[in-house]
Amino acid sequence: MSDTPNKLIEGATGPWEIVLGLEIHAQVASKAKLFSGAAVGFGAGPNAQVSLVDAAMPGMLPVINRHCVEQAVKTGLGLEAQINLWSRFDRKNYFYPDLPQGYQISQYKDPIVGEGAITVERDDGSIFTVRIERLHLEQDAGKSIHDLDPNMTAVDLNRAGTALMEIVSHPDMRSSEEAAAYVKKMRTILRYLGTCDGDMEKGNLRADVNVSVRKPGGELGTRCEIKNVNSYRYIQQAIEYEARRQIEIIEDGGAIRQETRLFDPAKGETRSMRSKEEAHDYRYFPDPDLLPLVLDPAWVKSIQKTLPELPDAKRARLAAQYGLSTYDAGVLVIDAARADYFERAAAGRDAKLVANWTTNELLARLAKDGLDIDASPIPSDDVAGLVKLLEDGVISSKIAKEVFEHMWAGEGTPARIVEARGLTQVSDTGELETLIDGLIAANPGQADAVKEKPQAVGWFVGQVMKATGGKANPATVNALLKAKLADT
Ligand code: MN
């Protein structure tokens, strides 16, 4: 669904197109698990958050967590997707040491959410659409730990039974950049909705990437699935490697085997994990312990009313209301907290200036120190204060950068810093005139040069700035120099 030319990869036999579809596993923001009352949390001691249901003790029965269902519906509404008022849980049967039931409770033929779509921005600002095939609820498995003991595998079931939303896209992405941009956008939407915290480091948002290659416009190729990639960089590296691998095999006369592969970040390679199983291998069947999930349309409507302003709408509003570029507005809406910060600072101020200081200076400094905007040492009021000093001509933008550094160091409000450090701009014409007269008298050669070449006035501006420690008002200096050099 790209509306700009696809990025092609050059092979020995000509160009190839990458076709990508993603399955995102997003952990539902919930205090309890999907079918038990056990707590969900990161960092608890091993097996400290496991109920008898999660441990699959005989005779235990699952009970659906209403909050998790609400979160899935809310997400479906946020993705402008079909909400299925009738859905069902199925058992997906397979054995794994960290899956004590011997099956995963998931949704197969009848997921809670059907077709939807999201728009995604590429780095160059262009936009493409990714269609969502479905979103279903399912349980997470536990964790096998292989590096505690040389001869044994340890199992931690804290994660077992945690609610996941599996969001399946159509194969609408054509480059590793598009895939990363899609995951970023999905993460932003989920965080706006408050249905998943999007913490990729903790594994709360991870992607399975389906990769195939084809000649442009040709038949879809056989795909390989790369499991559980949990950073944007790894997603891109895994795709780039995997596409090249497939192209080389096909160009050497081979065929791609459908399989599940693992990405090894240390080597930057994917390697075969198991031959890909088909859906029928799992012997899905409706879970007899659970009734079909039937939703009241009035309840769905009441959830719709709780939806916040979503990123696309917020970007359009910020651009229109504050006269920002789509790009700047896009940077601000990546995180709802950023947009809130901007709007607080922009109230009654020059919004474009506020946006510049927020996106260029503040966000860059926060990124450098690995901080979220919520942890910014500079409150939004102080960005507003800095912009006011600029608007009033009290400081130049050069001095503002210096003031910003002191703000970052926690020296107080911008007004206090300017006063305490004597950084007020010199707009006093008399003081500047004396300085300029002296400079012209001492440098007649430079003054003549300006008559030949007006741009040479920059040299004088530089000298005045140097002499005033950057505090001279540039507009005043330019006006005075123009008048005086024309007179001589
Ligand atoms: Mn899944």
Side-chain angles (χ1 to χ4, degrees):
M1 295 283 279
S2 300
D3 24 78
T4 61
N6 298 331
K7 193 187 146 193
L8 300 175
I9 294 189
E10 209 52 45
T13 60
W16 290 84
E17 184 178 53
I18 312 180
V19 177
L20 302 164
L22 267 70
E23 293 161 24
I24 291 177
H25 283 93
Q27 182 175 319
V28 176
S30 164
K31 292 198 176 83
K33 295 184 180 177
L34 183 54
F35 297 113
S36 84
V40 172
F42 189 81
N47 297 302
Q49 298 176 333
V50 185
S51 75
L52 295 172
V53 174
D54 308 321
M57 289 296 149
M60 292 299 114
L61 289 173
V63 177
I64 185 80
N65 178 337
R66 183 186 172 95
H67 176 69
C68 293
V69 175
E70 183 176 338
Q71 296 285 62
V73 170
K74 197 171 181 183
T75 305
L77 293 168
L79 302 176
E80 291 175 34
Q82 164 80 33
I83 305 299
N84 294 325
L85 297 178
W86 193 96
S87 69
R88 183 157 73 183
F89 288 99
D90 297 277
R91 290 187 179 179
K92 181 181 184 181
N93 298 283
Y94 63 97
F95 172 80
Y96 216 73
D98 55 25
L99 185 75
Q101 291 168 155
Y103 57 85
Q104 177 191 32
I105 306 179
S106 181
Q107 296 190 297
Y108 177 46
K109 288 252 163 76
D110 299 290
I112 186 164
V113 176
E115 296 270 347
I118 67 172
T119 57
V120 183
E121 299 77 33
R122 298 186 188 86
D123 284 345
D124 66 5
S126 62
I127 283 174
F128 64 105
T129 303
V130 177
R131 293 166 301 152
I132 307 299
E133 184 185 314
R134 59 188 277 152
L135 175 157
H136 65 251
L137 277 168
E138 64 181 25
Q139 304 172 297
D140 204 351
K143 196 175 168 200
S144 297
I145 300 154
H146 303 289
D147 55 4
L148 274 183
D149 185 284
N151 301 312
M152 282 186 286
T153 289
V155 174
D156 181 1
L157 294 180
N158 282 353
R159 248 204 139 91
T162 299
L164 302 178
M165 296 179 281
E166 180 173 331
I167 306 166
V168 182
S169 84
H170 282 276
D172 288 346
M173 289 149 275
R174 295 290 177 270
S175 69
S176 61
E177 293 83 3
E178 288 189 357
Y182 165 72
V183 178
K184 268 184 204 168
K185 185 62 180 282
M186 184 62 76
R187 178 176 182 272
T188 295
I189 293 172
L190 295 173
R191 283 167 54 84
Y192 267 62
L193 292 165
T195 56
C196 170
D197 70 13
D199 194 330
M200 297 177 84
E201 271 174 35
K202 290 181 186 158
N204 295 353
L205 186 84
R206 46 198 206 256
D208 300 342
V209 189
N210 285 294
V211 184
S212 65
V213 296
R214 67 175 176 189
K215 288 290 184 179
E219 294 278 305
L220 283 177
T222 303
R223 63 191 163 91
C224 289
E225 179 181 6
I226 311 165
K227 288 298 269 184
N228 279 335
V229 201
N230 69 344
S231 87
Y232 304 128
R233 196 158 57 89
Y234 292 166
I235 288 170
Q236 296 204 35
Q237 287 177 353
I239 292 169
E240 297 287 335
Y241 177 87
E242 180 59 19
R244 289 254 164 230
R245 187 188 73 85
Q246 294 184 13
I247 291 168
E248 275 170 31
I249 289 174
I250 301 170
E251 291 191 330
D252 284 349
I256 304 302
R257 264 191 327 145
Q258 183 175 334
E259 61 184 359
T260 301
R261 300 179 67 86
L262 270 184
F263 177 65
D264 180 343
K267 292 195 178 129
E269 297 173 358
T270 65
R271 61 165 189 272
S272 183
M273 190 180 165
R274 55 174 187 251
S275 68
K276 174 69 184 178
E277 52 294 311
E278 302 283 348
H280 62 248
D281 294 325
Y282 288 113
R283 295 297 188 271
Y284 280 98
F285 65 88
D287 192 312
D289 290 340
L290 289 158
L291 289 167
L293 193 55
V294 181
L295 308 180
D296 177 355
W299 187 59
V300 173
K301 252 188 205 138
S302 72
I303 297 170
Q304 175 96 54
K305 288 202 185 98
T306 69
L307 290 195
E309 181 182 37
L310 288 170
D312 290 349
K314 200 185 276 290
R315 190 189 56 221
R317 180 176 62 78
L318 292 191
Q321 185 175 336
Y322 299 99
L324 305 183
S325 68
T326 312
Y327 177 82
D328 279 349
V331 171
L332 290 170
V333 304
I334 284 173
D335 187 344
R338 268 188 201 181
D340 290 347
Y341 183 101
F342 162 76
E343 291 204 88
R344 285 197 305 274
R349 298 268 76 84
D350 180 331
K352 275 190 193 174
L353 265 181
V354 172
N356 284 345
W357 280 92
T358 308
T359 57
N360 297 338
E361 304 296 328
L362 183 66
L363 290 180
R365 283 304 289 261
L366 290 169
K368 209 171 133 201
D369 288 22
L371 294 173
D372 280 334
I373 197 140
D374 290 329
S376 170
I378 300 178
S380 55
D381 277 356
D382 285 355
V383 170
L386 185 69
V387 168
K388 175 148 178 30
L389 293 174
L390 281 162
E391 286 173 358
D392 295 348
V394 177
I395 54 173
S396 65
S397 51
K398 184 165 174 269
I399 293 294
K401 291 208 169 151
E402 194 182 329
V403 175
F404 182 86
E405 291 305 314
H406 297 300
M407 288 160 67
W408 185 267
E411 291 179 24
T413 65
R416 238 189 79 189
I417 291 165
V418 166
E419 206 194 302
R421 295 189 166 262
L423 295 172
T424 306
Q425 182 160 251
V426 181
S427 300
D428 176 353
T429 323
E431 196 178 324
L432 290 173
E433 244 178 305
T434 314
L435 183 62
I436 288 168
D437 286 342
L439 278 168
I440 292 172
N443 301 281
Q446 292 287 348
D448 287 342
V450 177
K451 275 171 211 154
E452 303 282 314
K453 223 172 79 184
Q455 309 93 286
V457 77
W459 183 85
F460 282 101
V461 177
Q463 294 301 308
V464 177
M465 286 301 174
K466 209 167 145 190
T468 58
K471 289 186 286 181
N473 181 328
T476 314
V477 173
N478 273 301
L480 284 173
L481 281 168
K482 214 172 153 191
K484 299 224 172 248
L485 287 167
D487 284 353
T488 50

